[in-house]
Amino acid sequence: MDFIIGQKPGQAGAPPGAPAADAAIMDGDQNTFMRDVVDASRQVPVLVDFWATWCGPCKTLTPALEKVVRSAGGRVRLVKIDIDKNRALVQQLTQLGLPLQSVPTVAAFWQGQIADLFQGALPESEVRRFVEGLLKIAGGTMPGADLMAEAKAALEQGAPDEAAELFAAILQQEPENPEAWGGLIRARMAAGQEEEAQATLAQVPNRLAEHAEIAGARSALALAAEGRRAQGQLATFERRLAADPADHEARYELATALNAMGRREEAAEALLDIVRRDRAWREDAARLQLLKLFEAWGFDDPATLAARRKLSALLFR
């Protein structure tokens, strides 16, 4: 879609670069549309919020847009346009195919073109996803994505305190980010702060309670508690199994202890062995415990992938 919008003399100038977060939100009009939206979008993605004073949903959407744009740290700009004060602009954009028959309408501009749009008031989480999608089109990410990568790397590199600080920083900006909640819980566990991890789990918003990241962290906490009890009896379980390989209870407890020691492949193999010998043992307890381990480890973890393949082979042979 090409744009030829009226502009006052002397307003052309070079397109602005990426704005600072607190300068990324402005009111626009038909005289500055080319400069503030079309030209500016050649350097930074621009959201245009078409609103009206009489529009109830606009009063909900605009604050959510502003919050998400501020959290983007200057990587995206927001221009707010009152449709009643800019009827000539609205008419021209409508003729060019932009659906402005109802408000709120939010159009995302990149490289002088409309990249995406939505109509109606969306919750903040959906607005954030919309902006993340726009930044992806533009080859960028939200600052939170950068922090998330740093936090995960810190956790993998054995720096749980640093990871916890980074996950907490993400939650300051995105309080309903399930990855950050799950990461913070796991970081506190890795730092030996199990009580703090439990307290963090209790603070997770209810709507996120069944998200895979939260469910995985919850399972990891439960398994850690089971593992502490079983770990001190590792030698006992091994002796029992040496005396009786059909002692499924000992093998089950051994798997719990091995998992607590970070020996994931061995823990999975112990439970798989029970499934091979007696799948119905204790109402399918071994398979259910395996699923709990997969949830705690993460479904993309190499140990999960390997054990899941073996479990499928056993169940569907």
Side-chain angles (χ1 to χ4, degrees), residues 243-272:
D244 180 10
D247 187 344
H248 299 328
E249 190 68 46
R251 199 177 301 277
Y252 183 94
E253 294 292 348
L254 176 65
T256 302
L258 290 169
N259 177 62
M261 299 166 67
R263 293 159 65 178
R264 293 182 175 181
E265 292 81 1
E266 294 172 74
E269 191 56 44
L271 293 169
L272 286 165

Side-chain angles (χ1 to χ4, degrees), residues 45 75 131-142 145-146:
R75 301 182 187 193
V131 173
E132 288 171 348
L134 174 61
L135 285 170
K136 186 175 182 180
I137 291 171
T141 60
M142 290 285 280
D146 298 337

Side-chain angles (χ1 to χ4, degrees), residues 230-254:
Q231 200 170 343
Q233 303 179 61
L234 182 67
T236 300
F237 301 139
E238 290 175 334
R239 283 196 300 271
R240 284 172 55 182
L241 283 169
D244 180 10
D247 187 344
H248 299 328
E249 190 68 46
R251 199 177 301 277
Y252 183 94
E253 294 292 348
L254 176 65

Side-chain angles (χ1 to χ4, degrees), residues 153-213:
L155 190 55
E156 290 172 3
Q157 292 163 11
D161 291 333
E162 180 185 347
E165 288 183 12
L166 291 166
F167 285 126
I170 295 168
L171 290 171
Q172 287 292 320
Q173 294 291 334
E174 304 175 38
E176 293 194 357
N177 186 317
E179 262 195 296
W181 279 110
L184 181 56
I185 293 166
R186 291 177 186 274
R188 287 180 170 159
M189 287 179 63
Q193 301 167 352
E194 203 166 310
E195 288 186 10
E196 290 86 343
Q198 288 283 5
T200 301
L201 178 62
Q203 295 169 8
V204 173
N206 289 334
R207 72 180 69 188
L208 302 180
E210 299 309 315
H211 190 282
E213 295 287 344

Side-chain angles (χ1 to χ4, degrees), residues 37-49:
V37 177
V38 179
D39 290 343
S41 75
R42 300 188 190 283
Q43 296 190 28
V44 61
V46 179
L47 295 175
V48 184
D49 176 19

